[in-house]
Amino acid sequence: MKRNTVFVDLYQKKYETSELLQLVASHIQQNLIKVGKKYYRQKQGIPQGSILSSTLCNYFYADLEAHVLSFLNSDDSLLSRLIDDFLLITADRSKAVRFMQILHQGVPEYGVTVNPKKSLVNFDLEIDGQKISKLEDGKQFPYCGTLIDTKTLDITRASNQDQDKSKLPVYDSLTVEFSRTPGQTFQRKVLNAFKIQSHIMFFDTGLNSAPTMLSNIRRAFVETATKMWAYTRCLPALKQPSPDVVIKTIQRLVDTAYLLLVSKTRKLRYPDYVCDVKKCEVSWLAYNAFHQVLSRKQSNYTKTLAWLKAESVKLNLLKDIRHGRVQTVV
């Protein structure tokens, strides 16, 4: 038997439709919740956290969209939904009003009701005498962790402050590994911190303007630098990375980030994707972001900060940087 081998049971079994429906009904109707020493059976809604919840939710909402909200199936409207969070972008105000009226009045046959306090529009709207919250002037529209410019439709990633949530210390959200190879683990953690933020919609210059794309790259580097600092802070003194390791990690991050942004794999998978960015721009944004974050903790990063400053000075000699578009990002 080989080591590190995972055996998978490929056994298959066929089920009758009636059996599956009975299983689903049992799953929904017999969900028990323990509060203190007492058990309660859920009578309304789908069990939260259930493996079937998102599937059932999508099933019913898809039918709702096809039959009740079919008037939005036109070239001037785009209806998006993540589980039960709707986003409507339309050039027809009357459709936006009709959409809001339908959901706020509820759709009993689908069991759909809307909490007015959780609704947001970017125009003045009142339904049944109740004013719907309006987006503040100059603000971007928040939707499921993103911010959308209502004039240009540029998309940025929302931070904790943008989402107006009480911000926990970054190090409370990290998993710290105490491995035999702390340097390699440190580098992997830093690279992954950037990769998880690299969704194509933030860097696609077919969707966003160049300034927004560059700003999104810089924001990703700022968060990566913050997580790097927090991760280092959680390590024992003897396992904290040396300045040379930190510098090599930042260099590796810049190379990885650029390859990720302009990779052929992305273009093959998403033919319309394009990220119009240069390697020198990615480097400058990274050095600037890391310098901003680490300068607040400069006592432990003197050598790293000196290196970052020297690299930035070199890049500033380039015309694409000195008189380039990155200067408008910071």
Side-chain angles (χ1 to χ4, degrees), residues 233-286:
R233 187 176 182 272
C234 295
L235 292 172
L238 294 177
K239 290 201 172 185
Q240 291 186 359
S242 66
D244 289 338
V245 171
V246 174
I247 290 172
K248 288 180 180 179
T249 298
I250 296 174
Q251 290 175 320
R252 175 81 184 277
L253 173 64
V254 170
D255 293 337
T256 302
Y258 178 70
L259 291 175
L260 195 63
L261 293 170
V262 300
S263 69
K264 293 181 179 179
T265 304
R266 278 193 171 185
K267 292 181 179 179
L268 288 174
R269 188 175 181 184
Y270 306 100
D272 295 330
Y273 171 76
V274 57
C275 182
D276 179 22
V277 68
K278 298 177 181 179
K279 176 69 177 293
C280 61
E281 292 176 322
V282 174
S283 301
W284 191 88
L285 291 170

Side-chain angles (χ1 to χ4, degrees), residues 210-212 214-216 218-219 284-285 325-330:
T212 297
L214 293 170
S215 177
N216 286 340
R218 186 179 184 279
R219 286 168 69 114
W284 191 88
L285 291 170
R325 51 190 184 174
V326 293
Q327 298 293 339
T328 63
V329 175
V330 182

Side-chain angles (χ1 to χ4, degrees), residues 50-70:
S50 164
I51 193 172
L52 289 179
S53 295
S54 59
T55 300
L56 291 172
C57 181
N58 286 330
Y59 178 82
F60 282 98
Y61 273 120
D63 194 75
L64 170 74
E65 292 163 8
H67 295 91
V68 180
L69 303 176
S70 57

Side-chain angles (χ1 to χ4, degrees), residues 131-170:
K131 287 187 176 181
I132 306 301
S133 298
K134 181 184 176 183
L135 184 71
E136 295 180 27
D137 292 338
K139 294 284 187 178
Q140 293 177 305
F141 200 95
Y143 178 68
C144 295
T146 64
L147 296 173
I148 303 173
D149 189 307
T150 57
K151 294 182 179 179
T152 65
L153 296 185
D154 281 2
I155 304 174
T156 59
R157 185 171 178 271
S159 64
N160 286 338
Q161 294 94 331
D162 293 325
Q163 299 178 69
D164 196 26
K165 294 180 179 178
S166 54
K167 187 178 180 182
L168 293 173
V170 178

Side-chain angles (χ1 to χ4, degrees), residues 1 12 38 71 76 103 108 121 142 146 207 215 219-220 236 239 243 247 269 306 311:
M1 183 181 296
Q12 295 181 348
K38 295 184 177 181
F71 64 93
D76 62 358
L103 292 186
V121 293
T146 64
L207 298 174
S215 177
R219 286 168 69 114
K239 290 201 172 185
I247 290 172
R269 188 175 181 184
E311 292 299 310

Side-chain angles (χ1 to χ4, degrees), residues 13 39 87 122 148 229 282 319:
K13 181 180 178 180
Y39 288 88
L87 172 69
N122 65 332
I148 303 173
W229 164 81
V282 174
K319 184 178 179 181

Side-chain angles (χ1 to χ4, degrees), residues 142-209:
Y143 178 68
C144 295
T146 64
L147 296 173
I148 303 173
D149 189 307
T150 57
K151 294 182 179 179
T152 65
L153 296 185
D154 281 2
I155 304 174
T156 59
R157 185 171 178 271
S159 64
N160 286 338
Q161 294 94 331
D162 293 325
Q163 299 178 69
D164 196 26
K165 294 180 179 178
S166 54
K167 187 178 180 182
L168 293 173
V170 178
Y171 40 80
D172 284 346
S173 64
L174 299 175
T175 301
V176 181
E177 296 182 26
F178 299 96
S179 65
R180 295 180 180 179
T181 55
Q184 294 178 12
T185 302
F186 171 78
Q187 188 174 97
R188 174 169 52 82
K189 286 285 186 179
V190 174
L191 296 180
N192 286 340
F194 182 87
K195 289 178 181 178
I196 61 175
Q197 303 176 69
S198 62
H199 195 288
I200 63 171
M201 66 179 173
F202 299 125
F203 310 123
D204 191 339
T205 43
L207 298 174
N208 299 312
S209 63

